[in-house]
């Protein structure tokens, strides 16, 4: 797994995930050519080698071959109207050139993983052939977004953020959703859940990881993680025992 500030690439077990709702633009690629299956919001199952899911859309992905290649692009980092055409859909997409590119990128990263470093690789260039167009945010909202990204575990409240950027509470909440496309609460919850990915190889108890990632207790931690990933934290950690994590 390769984790950067605004991107994630995961190659490994999909697991028996229930419905999930991720906070970024999700892209699933079959590593073998065998179709992946997706159910969006409880609808009918669809299948394909490439699946695309916009942020915060509930979905369930399954595969008979257990493995998946998964890209995640943070929503606030890219202009949704200027994403590659295949990423402006929801569900199976026909983009064979991109599928080949992801598989080739995976092979290159596997070789680099032996050295223990992905230094020299640029995420967007590797997977998309060029930088994805950035999203322009109001400077006050950008300051709040950067604050949460810098420390997702911090007990940052909307009231504190509104005061810090000199906006009324109601105006701040409205502007935040207008600029980012999600509520402040949903954004903060996603960033906290995303930070778990940096802890999956830690030799620590679930309670310690919960506290390190900003959750008040293991019960709240487990419930929140299952809502986001469709898996229990214990299952995520168990499935990551042989995973190489690069940050």
């Amino acid at each position: 797994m390769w984790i950067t500030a605004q991107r994630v690439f995961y190659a490994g077990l999909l697991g028996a995930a229930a419905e999930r709702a991720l906070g970024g633009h999700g892209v699933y690629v079959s590593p073998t050519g065998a179709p992946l299956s997706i159910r969006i919001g409880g609808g009918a199952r669809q299948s394909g080698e490439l699946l695309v899911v916009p942020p915060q859309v509930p979905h369930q992905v399954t595969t008979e071959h257990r493995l998946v290649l998964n890209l995640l692009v943070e929503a606030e980092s890219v202009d949704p109207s200027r994403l590659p055409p295949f990423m402006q859909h929801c569900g199976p997409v026909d983009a064979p050139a991109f599928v080949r590119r992801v598989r080739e990128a995976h092979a290159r990263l596997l070789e680099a993983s032996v050295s223990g470093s992905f230094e020299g690789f640029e995420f967007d260039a590797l997977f998309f052939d060029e930088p994805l167009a950035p999203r322009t945010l109001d400077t006050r909202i950008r300051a709040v977004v950067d604050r949460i990204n810098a420390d997702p575990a911090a007990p940052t409240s909307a009231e504190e953020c509104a005061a810090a950027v000199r906006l009324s509470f109601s105006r701040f909440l409205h502007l935040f959703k207008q600029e980012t496309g999600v509520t402040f609460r949903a954004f903060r919850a996603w960033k906290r859940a995303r930070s778990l990915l940096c802890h999956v190889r830690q030799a620590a108890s679930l309670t310690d990881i919960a506290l390190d990632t900003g959750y008040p207790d293991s019960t709240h931690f487990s419930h929140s993680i299952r809502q986001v990933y469709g898996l229990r934290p214990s299952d995520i950690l168990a499935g990551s025992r042989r995973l190489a994590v690069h940050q």
Side-chain angles (χ1 to χ4, degrees):
M1 181 162 58
W2 183 16
I3 306 172
T4 75
Q6 301 294 348
R7 310 284 189 265
V8 176
F9 173 66
Y10 170 77
L13 296 171
L14 178 60
E19 187 174 79
R20 59 175 56 180
L22 306 176
H25 297 272
V27 178
Y28 299 87
V29 174
S30 166
T32 64
L36 304 171
S37 176
I38 187 169
R39 177 179 289 165
I40 301 168
R45 284 216 167 268
Q46 306 173 69
S47 63
E49 289 187 63
L50 169 62
L51 310 174
V52 175
V53 186
Q56 304 294 338
V57 173
H59 63 284
Q60 181 187 35
V61 175
T62 58
T63 174
E64 294 181 1
H65 292 267
R66 304 181 67 202
L67 300 176
V68 70
L69 306 179
N70 184 198
L71 293 166
L72 191 63
V73 176
E74 295 302 295
E76 80 279 2
S77 72
V78 291
D79 183 340
S81 68
R82 298 170 63 192
L83 285 170
F86 75 88
M87 286 187 68
Q88 299 187 35
H89 294 271
C90 182
V93 181
D94 184 26
F98 176 75
V99 169
R100 285 194 300 272
R101 188 174 188 89
V102 171
R103 290 173 182 161
E104 290 168 0
H106 175 222
R108 292 179 63 189
L109 293 175
L110 276 177
E111 292 180 5
S113 186
V114 175
S115 68
S117 173
F118 287 173
E119 186 177 348
F121 288 102
E122 203 287 317
F123 196 105
D124 286 3
L126 184 63
F127 291 104
F128 301 103
D129 198 32
E130 62 182 356
L132 297 178
R135 187 170 192 153
T136 302
L137 296 177
D138 179 282
T139 55
R140 295 162 295 184
I141 300 304
R142 172 58 68 188
V144 172
V145 165
D146 290 346
R147 174 180 176 178
I148 295 173
N149 278 330
D151 188 4
T156 307
S157 70
E159 291 86 352
E160 290 172 337
C161 291
V165 295
R166 300 183 179 182
L167 288 171
S168 70
F169 180 59
S170 60
R171 174 59 181 157
F172 170 72
L173 291 180
H174 174 79
L175 186 61
F176 191 94
K177 185 173 183 180
Q178 176 182 298
E179 290 291 302
T180 65
V182 296
T183 65
F184 174 85
R185 184 175 181 180
F187 181 86
R188 187 183 59 182
W190 159 243
K191 292 301 182 177
R192 191 165 288 174
R194 184 189 192 271
S195 70
L196 170 65
L197 301 178
C198 299
H199 296 264
V200 295
R201 290 299 311 276
Q202 285 188 358
S205 69
L206 284 178
T207 298
D208 288 340
I209 293 175
L211 295 175
D212 287 345
T213 49
Y215 294 93
D217 53 62
S218 57
T219 300
H220 187 189
F221 173 58
S222 181
H223 176 72
S224 298
I225 294 302
R226 288 189 71 174
Q227 280 190 316
V228 172
Y229 295 108
L231 293 164
R232 296 178 301 177
S234 57
D235 292 333
I236 293 175
L237 268 58
S240 302
R241 287 172 183 157
R242 298 177 61 188
L243 186 68
V245 179
H246 301 271
Q247 300 181 53

